[in-house]
Amino acid sequence: MYVVKIKRISKKRGLSLYQLNNQAGLKANVIYSWKTKNPSVEKLKAVADVLDVSVDYLLNDANEASLAADPTELSKNQRAIAKSIDPDISNDDCQAIIKIRHEIMKLRISN
């Protein structure tokens, strides 16, 4: 299931799976091979880093509806919370929050 998610996210990022393989430092067609075998944590983390998402996000299929949403966008609930804290929050500030959140998620995974 995560191969489908990786493919969708990479497409949104303007990357082919071939390009993603290269940028993650993987051999050709490694991601495709994950349809039949499980990837190593290191390889999955390399792909997550290129896509700027967490490994948990790639593996978590509990919320399949979230695939339609761009993982770099705040959800409707997250935006409502941000607006309740600061009604005048800008989209740039929301994007900054997203970047900080991604960095925190990366740190949690690496520890």
Side-chain angles (χ1 to χ4, degrees), residues 2-47:
Y2 43 85
V3 175
V4 173
K5 187 178 277 190
I6 290 169
K7 191 173 181 178
R8 288 181 188 174
I9 298 168
S10 64
K11 185 176 180 180
K12 287 181 182 183
R13 302 281 192 267
L15 295 171
S16 68
L17 287 185
Y18 176 81
Q19 292 169 317
L20 179 58
N21 269 303
N22 286 340
Q23 288 185 21
L26 305 175
K27 295 179 183 176
N29 299 319
V30 168
I31 294 172
Y32 279 116
S33 72
W34 296 347
K35 290 180 179 182
T36 58
K37 62 181 182 174
N38 290 327
S40 69
V41 173
E42 294 81 16
K43 289 179 182 179
L44 197 57
K45 183 170 179 350
V47 168

Side-chain angles (χ1 to χ4, degrees), residues 41-89:
V41 173
E42 294 81 16
K43 289 179 182 179
L44 197 57
K45 183 170 179 350
V47 168
D49 287 347
V50 172
L51 295 176
D52 195 29
V53 298
S54 68
V55 172
D56 184 52
Y57 180 83
L58 293 178
L59 295 176
N60 185 2
D61 61 350
N63 187 2
E64 195 61 27
S66 68
L67 285 177
D70 186 341
T72 64
E73 292 290 325
L74 289 176
S75 71
K76 187 176 179 179
N77 289 340
Q78 291 168 327
R79 189 170 300 279
I81 291 168
K83 293 282 185 184
S84 72
I85 295 167
D86 180 1
D88 298 323
I89 194 166

Side-chain angles (χ1 to χ4, degrees), residues 52 70-75 77-106 108:
D52 195 29
D70 186 341
T72 64
E73 292 290 325
L74 289 176
S75 71
N77 289 340
Q78 291 168 327
R79 189 170 300 279
I81 291 168
K83 293 282 185 184
S84 72
I85 295 167
D86 180 1
D88 298 323
I89 194 166
S90 68
N91 284 337
D92 288 341
D93 288 344
C94 286
Q95 290 299 321
I97 292 168
I98 293 167
K99 287 181 182 179
I100 291 167
R101 184 179 150 267
H102 281 290
E103 291 304 315
I104 290 169
M105 291 172 74
K106 286 179 186 178
R108 286 182 183 165

